[in-house]
Structures are given as C-alpha cells and as structure tokens.
Amino acid sequence: MYSHGKITAAMKAAFPYTIPIFAGFWFLGITYGVYMQVSGFSFWYPMLMSLTIFGGSLEFVAVSMLLSAFAPVQTLVVALMLQARHLFYGIAMLDKFKGTGWKKVYLIFGMCDESFSINCSAEIPTGIDRGWFMFFVTLFNQIYWVTGATLGGLLGALIPFNTEGLDFAMTAMFVVIFLDQWRKEKGHAASLIGLGASLVCLLIFGADNFLLPAMACILAFLTLLRRHAGEEGN
Amino acid sequence: MTLTQRIITIALCALGTMATRFLPFLLFSSRRPTPRYIQYLGRVLPGAIFGMLVIYCLRNVDLMAGSHGLPEAIAIAVVAALHLWKGQMLLSIAGGTICYMLLVQIVF
C-alpha cells in the first residue's frame, strides 16, 4: 500500500530526530550565510551552494576558494579530500539503503554527517517505512541547512540574540549517538579505535589535516582486528 | 573570478562531494554480492565513525590556550550523565547545549 498515512507516519517519526540538527544547522547555516555576505556575495550564493554541495565544512572552504584565483584542479582535490569520510558512510549504508527505490538517489545525495548518523543509528519503530523515514530525516536536515544559509545571506549580521555556543548541539548529538552505539555493541574495539586513532591523528597532524590519516588508521586497525578475531570482529 | 569560473568552482565542489557519497554504491551494486571484507567494514565502521565524528567536532578546541577545553569537557560530561540517567536523546542534547552556552557566554 502506497498511502498518505504511511508517508505521514514516517514524517512524524523522523521529525523529533532532526530537532537537534535544526538548532545546529540554523546556527551554522546562518553563520555561513553571514560569512558569505560579508565576503561580498549575494544570498543566491549560500542558497545555491547549500542546495547543491550540502556539506558544511567544504562550503566554508569554498568561500575562500571563490575569493582567490581560479584553480579548478585544486578545487576538486580539496573537495575530494575534505569529503573523503563520506566513503565510509556509503560502505556502512550499503545494506540500509537497499530496497528504498527512487528515494535511494536522494538518500545518497543528502548523506551529510548528521543525516548519516541519524539514519545509521536510529531505531526506527516497527510499522514505520524505513525508506520514507530516512528520506524525511535527510529532507528536513537539508531544509534546515538551506533556509539557514539563505537567511544568513539575506539578513547579514542582524541576528538579535546571543547564540554563541548553540552549535554545540551537533557535538552533543554525536556524543549521544556514540553512547547509544556503545551500549548496543558487544565489543567496544571499533568505537575505541575510532576515538583513539582520531585523537592521536588530531594531536599529530592538527585540525586541518587529521581526517585522512585518521581514516587510514581506522581502516588498518579494523582490518587487523578482523584477522585477529576471525570473521566476526564486532 | 568571472561568473563562469565561480559556477565551475561551485560545481566542482558539488562534484567532489557527490563522488565520495555515490562511489561505494556504484562500486558495490546491489545486483552482485558485496565482498565479505566490505560487509565486515559495513558492520564495524559505524562505531568507529561516531568516535571519529566526536573528535572531529572538537578539533578546534585548544587545550593549551583560552579556556583549555573545559567548557567542552564539562558539557560533554553533562550530556553523558543526562543520557545514561534518562536515556532521552533530545533531553541530553538540549541539556548539554544550554550548559555549554551558559559556560561560554557567562563563565569563561
């Protein structure tokens, strides 16, 4: 049955999961829009960039690329390196996105850190359509980001109240998801590897360069773990 | 930059992002069985990724200067305590965020 009821139910189930993202994305999105405005771009830029790129960190970097000399190869390389973590998300979601029909293309297109984390970790209630649930999580998150970025580009620095620290909502969400995962899993090797390898790489390589080495270390350790533990290394 | 160059720059950013998002799905199509190593990675990666994302969010915290990461440490402790106590995602996140905002706006 392909009814409205099924779609509405999935939308209602998905919405509460996206509330923290609303706080975080509006804060960051507005900040990004303001940043573009003071850098001399009209609101069309943050609006269209948040719609098509839909990846926060790269969009911030793209502002400085737009302000310097045209360097297409460098732009593509930076984009690929900064976004390489999505390769992991895709591998983790290969099974979960199966059987979602036409929605799969949008689920992959909109798979930012936050949408991935919710879709990967949420325990979707029985009776709720998985495909539609993940679709609405992704859609809501993108709406928050695009409206935030556009508002920032339109309003500039006119935001009336002190929002400093509001973006911590995103950190808090990842901590919560990490804890949920921790309680769910049998062994904690993978979680500890992710935390430890990233921390060590951050200390060695610094904030701007640690993600790629961290990903390489995580892959290496997880592969070793599999050899060590036989097939089931979970 | 001309307008065309700007459009190309933005398009390349979108292309790079989409390449990383779509590649695994293009490489391991649902028609052929996924290699067992990739299946294994799919099972163990989420835990590792969430650990990585927590560190990623905290990457700009400077332990040696400013507030030495204290507001972050306190707020994360609040999030964890709330979550282990009540187990309600939104409550844990809201509590931790309000605590953090108070800390950075008033205390530190």
Side-chain angles (χ1 to χ4, degrees), chain B residues 37-89:
Chain B
Y37 173 60
I38 300 298
Q39 286 182 23
Y40 162 77
L41 284 183
R43 274 200 311 277
V44 293
L45 268 179
I49 294 172
F50 296 139
M52 183 177 87
L53 284 173
V54 170
I55 302 294
Y56 181 68
C57 284
L58 298 170
R59 67 190 182 284
N60 291 319
V61 175
D62 192 345
L63 294 177
M64 301 302 158
S67 51
H68 303 280
L70 266 178
E72 286 80 8
I74 296 169
I76 286 177
V78 169
V79 172
L82 275 174
H83 201 61
L84 296 176
W85 177 38
K86 289 283 183 185
Q88 288 181 344
M89 184 180 191

Side-chain angles (χ1 to χ4, degrees), chain A residues 113-162:
Chain A
D113 301 325
E114 294 74 13
S115 296
F116 158 75
S117 301
I118 295 175
N119 285 335
C120 183
S121 66
E123 281 173 14
I124 304 168
T126 41
I128 298 292
D129 184 84
R130 265 180 350 98
W132 281 109
F133 177 91
M134 296 193 290
F135 176 82
F136 281 114
V137 166
T138 312
L139 181 68
F140 285 141
N141 287 347
Q142 186 165 20
I143 290 174
Y144 304 151
W145 180 247
V146 175
T147 50
T150 309
L151 268 181
L154 282 171
L155 299 177
L158 296 173
I159 311 302
F161 70 101
N162 189 352

Side-chain angles (χ1 to χ4, degrees), chain A residues 11-91:
Chain A
M11 191 167 83
K12 282 181 184 155
F15 177 67
Y17 285 90
T18 69
I19 294 173
I21 316 295
F22 175 67
F25 270 15
W26 258 45
F27 177 81
L28 280 176
I30 289 175
T31 309
Y32 164 65
V34 172
Y35 177 48
M36 285 223 81
Q37 199 215 33
V38 297
S39 306
F41 296 95
S42 91
F43 75 95
W44 288 104
Y45 281 89
M47 190 172 104
L48 293 175
M49 285 165 73
S50 57
L51 203 60
T52 54
I53 305 174
F54 191 37
S57 46
L58 177 60
E59 286 172 46
F60 275 97
V61 175
V63 181
S64 54
M65 297 200 276
L66 286 170
L67 289 172
S68 29
F70 183 56
V73 177
Q74 192 196 329
T75 300
L76 185 62
V77 170
V78 169
L80 287 170
M81 281 174 45
L82 211 59
Q83 306 287 47
R85 63 186 184 284
H86 293 106
L87 293 169
F88 278 11
Y89 304 169
I91 292 173

